Amino acid sequence: MHPAELVAIDGRTLKRGDAGSPLSITGLTVTYSGKPVVFSVDVTVPAGSMMAIVGPNGAGKSTLIRAALGIVPRLSGDVTAFGEPVGKVRDRIAYVPQRASVDWDFPATVLDVVVMGLYRRIGLLRFAGRRHRATAMACLERVGMAGFAGRQIGQLSGGQQQRVFLARALAQDAQLYVMDEPFAGVDAATERAIIEVLRTLQAEGKTIVAVHHDLATVPVYFDHVLLMNVRAVADGPVATTFTPEHLQATYGGRLAPAQLDDIAAALAGRRTAAAS
Amino acid sequence: MSAEFLQLSLVPLLVGMLACIACALPGNFLVLRRQSLIGDAVSHVVLPGIVAAFLVTGTVAATAMLVGAAAAAVVAVVLIEFVRRVGRIEPGAAMGVIFTTMFAAGVLMIEQSDTSGVHLDVEHALYGNLESLVWFAAEDWGSLTDPVALADLPPQLARLAVVTVAMVAFTIVAWKELVLSTFDAGFAESVGARPTLIGFLLVVAVAVAAVAAFDAVGSIIVIAMFICPPAAARLMTDRLLPQIAWSIGFAALSGIAGYVLAGYGPLWLGFDASVSAAGMIATVSGLLLAVACLVGPHRRGSGRSGATV
């Protein structure tokens, strides 16, 4: 039995996802105590894209990426990254968890945390050396946090903590960045700094997938979107996918008309920008 | 005087100190993971493990005891996880259910089996028996280099020395994985640092340290050694390596000061009997924690100050 091949009724061989895609998810289902929190989600992230995962609270967005990366167990589904099982390409994937998911009282400095991003490069049974610390410092520089290297992480603001997490991901020097709410609870300056770094990464050909909460900035920051609410509602380019109809289907009609107007305006702005 | 010290006090001093250090080392990670209760759970389930090992092998050989206790710890961890998932209750409650039940089973096993003839009574299990570690062969300081006299050293000393070295080795070998999985388990999984496996190995390490310390300070008091020195050390510094160094210092201080105070403290105060060394060691470690709470330079960190925007 080779799980990678499915034969359809008409005899075609169905390829599971796109073999070369940085992240291809097929039929992913995750349950917590018998209740599905992610149900049969298919999504293929195009190489070089910046994709937002959008949906209401409890829609399974974080669970989707955590299950895709093997952090939480999945009931069923196939996940490939760059055409391989995720376990084989961990060097090419950087995961940025939700800031609130860790204990910031942990006795570590900013630099200590960024050095964690070099885990695979330092290797088993070895310790971080001067060279690794220099790499980590360069990553802190890129997020404007070099001056905080020696600080205990609990002394940082939320935005600064988020930048430290981004620096750790940069230290991983990955091809695919999977981020869980990188803009949650950060100040405006941090939001600009993060989006600037992400755009630089995209310009270098890297792929970015981020759980995102702020509907108004989806068309501004991202070029692709996955709308989900336990099940996937729609995915594709923002211009054609991020529509009021799809949003209403995702949020079950709970969006206020004013919100939808804002989104329509933002989308229109994007189209004008693209046309000019 | 020197012969008396060598015969009666040297070994208990060293054993108490090593027991404290062996427990404090993995205890650092338990405290940071907010899993201090695991130390409690493991030190309780050590009892049925040891009794079961005795019932199966019929000896009180150290190896059998260690294997039995480690196996009991593993069984307890699996059961706790099982109860947590099936019963859908929080981990603390699952631990409470499992470790009290297993401890109670251990007490019943001791009573029902004819183990009273060997040195495996409940009181010993609870409070330890540090004072009984007498080095009869010691005559003077020269005994420290006399192979014949050294061969007569109580076996607990060598056992604890080996276990302490093992704890140091575990901490060094698994350092990056321990740090990564303690701070950010999701990230650790995403880079292949096997946080589940590391968490499991940590519990096994805790079990081994608990068994080795069990003889010296008893199963109840072992818990203080897992928590007090690391918790006090956390209040002294904001970095992990210095924290571990402080915890070793506090552990050694508890062991030595506790033994000395237990043996001589009451005499200084005019009483004519000494008190339990294990009890005094735990008391000293608790006092050190209290002092660290009051004057430790980094005690502010107990709230989640960084979590606000």
Side-chain angles (χ1 to χ4, degrees):
Chain A
M1 263 279 287
H2 197 275
E5 278 188 2
L6 272 183
V7 180
I9 291 169
D10 61 3
R12 281 182 305 135
T13 303
L14 294 180
K15 257 216 209 115
R16 294 209 163 182
D18 177 349
S21 162
L23 186 64
S24 181
I25 297 171
T26 313
L28 186 67
T29 299
V30 183
T31 57
Y32 283 156
S33 44
K35 248 178 68 184
V37 285
V38 171
F39 188 77
S40 195
V41 170
D42 299 335
V43 62
T44 296
V45 182
S49 67
M50 226 168 125
M51 181 183 273
I53 301 179
V54 173
N57 287 331
K61 308 180 293 289
S62 296
T63 305
L64 174 75
I65 60 177
R66 288 167 66 82
L69 297 181
I71 297 164
V72 295
R74 54 184 188 247
L75 188 68
S76 63
D78 266 3
V79 178
T80 59
F82 308 100
E84 306 256 16
V86 169
K88 283 193 170 174
V89 285
R90 294 201 186 279
D91 286 328
R92 294 157 76 180
I93 303 173
Y95 167 61
V96 181
Q98 273 179 35
R99 185 169 54 84
S101 70
V102 306
D103 175 11
W104 291 91
D105 280 336
F106 191 83
T109 62
V110 166
L111 192 65
D112 291 337
V113 172
V114 180
V115 166
M116 288 179 192
L118 298 165
Y119 171 75
R120 296 185 69 84
R121 270 196 274 164
I122 294 169
L124 279 177
L125 297 178
R126 309 194 72 116
F127 297 98
R130 189 180 305 162
R131 192 164 45 89
H132 299 114
R133 281 192 290 274
T135 308
M137 272 308 284
C139 296
L140 277 174
E141 202 93 53
R142 286 173 70 184
V143 299
M145 288 288 292
F148 295 83
R151 283 275 187 101
Q152 200 266 326
I153 50 174
Q155 298 168 3
L156 305 178
S157 73
Q160 290 169 330
Q161 288 171 347
Q162 193 65 59
R163 290 197 220 185
V164 171
F165 262 8
L166 180 59
R168 180 177 71 176
L170 291 176
Q172 290 180 265
D173 194 20
Q175 300 298 312
L176 168 67
Y177 291 78
V178 181
M179 313 177 80
D180 202 342
E181 304 217 19
F183 303 108
V186 305
D187 52 285
T190 296
E191 181 150 343
R192 276 195 303 276
I194 292 176
I195 200 66
E196 202 170 299
V197 170
L198 295 187
R199 284 187 174 138
T200 311
L201 287 174
Q202 193 183 21
E204 290 166 0
K206 318 248 159 123
T207 307
I208 294 145
V209 178
V211 173
H212 191 61
H213 247 124
D214 181 12
L215 294 180
T217 51
V218 168
V220 187
Y221 293 163
F222 296 92
D223 51 34
H224 281 68
V225 65
L226 163 67
L227 292 161
M228 71 176 288
N229 189 353
V230 182
R231 297 161 189 266
V233 174
D235 76 282
V238 167
T240 53
T241 311
F242 199 65
T243 60
E245 300 78 57
H246 285 152
L247 279 167
Q248 285 296 28
T250 309
Y251 285 82
R254 272 178 286 139
L255 286 183
Q259 256 175 309
L260 289 172
D261 288 345
D262 287 349
I263 290 159
L267 268 179
R270 186 188 170 82
R271 288 203 194 94
T272 330
S276 63
Chain B
M1 177 61 201
S2 75
E4 189 194 291
F5 171 79
L6 284 176
Q7 285 186 345
L8 298 180
S9 295
L10 178 66
V11 174
L13 260 179
L14 289 176
V15 164
M17 192 181 81
L18 288 174
C20 294
I21 295 174
C23 293
L25 268 172
N28 277 289
F29 293 99
L30 289 187
V31 169
L32 289 175
R33 287 163 173 250
R34 296 170 197 256
Q35 286 181 341
S36 305
L37 205 57
I38 287 252
D40 204 355
V42 162
S43 55
H44 278 75
V45 303
V46 156
L47 180 69
I50 286 180
V51 180
F54 171 76
L55 292 178
V56 171
T57 64
T59 69
V60 285
T63 333
M65 303 287 107
L66 275 167
V67 170
V74 171
V75 168
V77 169
V78 171
L79 283 178
I80 288 168
E81 196 58 23
F82 178 76
V83 169
R84 197 173 67 80
R85 295 227 171 131
V86 173
R88 287 178 213 164
I89 53 176
E90 47 122 1
M95 275 182 222
V97 168
I98 294 301
F99 79 66
T100 47
T101 309
M102 288 183 72
F103 184 75
V107 174
L108 293 183
M109 281 158 75
I110 288 187
E111 286 192 339
Q112 289 302 308
S113 58
D114 190 25
T115 50
S116 48
V118 293
H119 204 65
L120 201 68
D121 55 288
V122 175
E123 198 169 305
H124 177 200
L126 293 182
Y127 309 130
N129 209 354
L130 205 51
E131 292 86 346
S132 72
L133 302 175
V134 179
W135 187 18
F136 289 114
E139 283 162 2
D140 50 45
W141 291 100
S143 301
L144 286 174
T145 51
D146 177 4
V148 181
L150 286 176
D152 187 50
L153 274 170
Q156 284 90 342
L157 182 59
R159 197 187 311 158
L160 262 170
V162 169
V163 167
T164 307
V165 169
M167 291 304 132
V168 173
F170 173 63
T171 311
I172 293 173
V173 167
W175 176 257
K176 285 202 314 292
E177 288 78 7
L178 278 168
V179 174
L180 215 53
S181 61
T182 301
F183 172 62
D184 189 346
F187 178 80
E189 186 75 57
S190 79
V191 294
R194 315 285 298 273
T196 314
L197 175 69
I198 290 293
F200 187 72
L201 290 179
L202 179 62
V203 172
V204 172
V206 165
V208 170
V211 181
F214 176 79
D215 249 349
V217 294
S219 78
I220 298 295
I221 293 163
V222 154
I223 180 69
M225 297 304 118
F226 281 115
I227 298 173
C228 292
R234 176 64 189 89
L235 301 170
M236 302 304 293
T237 168
D238 264 344
R239 297 206 62 186
L240 188 52
L241 211 51
Q243 177 191 320
I244 287 174
W246 274 104
S247 75
I248 292 173
F250 282 145
L253 184 61
S254 306
I256 295 169
Y259 181 79
V260 171
L261 283 177
Y264 303 106
L267 299 178
W268 297 335
L269 292 174
F271 298 97
D272 56 358
S274 52
V275 298
S276 153
M280 189 55 90
I281 289 174
T283 307
V284 169
S285 72
L287 287 176
L288 284 173
L289 176 56
V291 171
C293 285
L294 291 174
V295 301
H298 293 277
R299 58 192 185 282
R300 198 179 47 86
S302 55
R304 293 180 58 99
S305 52
T308 51
V309 181

